Amino acid sequence: SNYKIYLVINYVANQLYTWVFFGLKNNFLALVDTIIVLVSSLYLYVETKAINEDKAKYLIPYIIWNIFALILVFTIFITN
């Protein structure tokens, strides 16, 4: 199903971030990776909410953290 695909995308993108940002030191790819994580997180929230609204609420702090990370990475990208 699409849910499982987005779950894998979210997990892989999350794991790749450290390597891309700290290993490759590539701010642009880190920004793209963070956007992928946020978009897949939002998709997972919407799909989880359709299945079980109570359990979808557990994804809200994760989405807020992703938004914070996107702002941080975007700021680093712009200033460098």
Side-chain angles (χ1 to χ4, degrees):
S1 70
N2 282 344
Y3 188 86
K4 289 179 183 178
I5 292 169
Y6 275 87
L7 196 59
V8 169
I9 290 169
N10 186 273
Y11 176 77
V12 170
N14 230 324
Q15 296 304 313
L16 282 175
Y17 176 81
T18 302
W19 179 68
V20 168
F21 187 76
F22 295 107
L24 296 179
K25 297 182 185 339
N26 190 325
N27 294 336
F28 177 72
L29 283 180
L31 178 62
V32 171
D33 183 72
T34 306
I35 292 168
I36 292 169
V37 172
L38 179 59
V39 169
S40 62
S41 298
L42 291 170
Y43 177 84
L44 290 170
Y45 173 77
V46 169
E47 291 300 309
T48 303
K49 190 173 180 181
I51 297 167
N52 187 326
E53 194 166 332
D54 287 337
K55 292 182 179 169
K57 292 176 185 175
Y58 290 112
L59 290 172
I60 293 172
Y62 182 59
I63 291 169
I64 292 169
W65 173 254
N66 286 323
I67 292 168
F68 171 74
L70 179 61
I71 292 168
L72 184 63
V73 172
F74 180 73
T75 303
I76 292 169
F77 175 71
I78 292 299
T79 58
N80 286 320

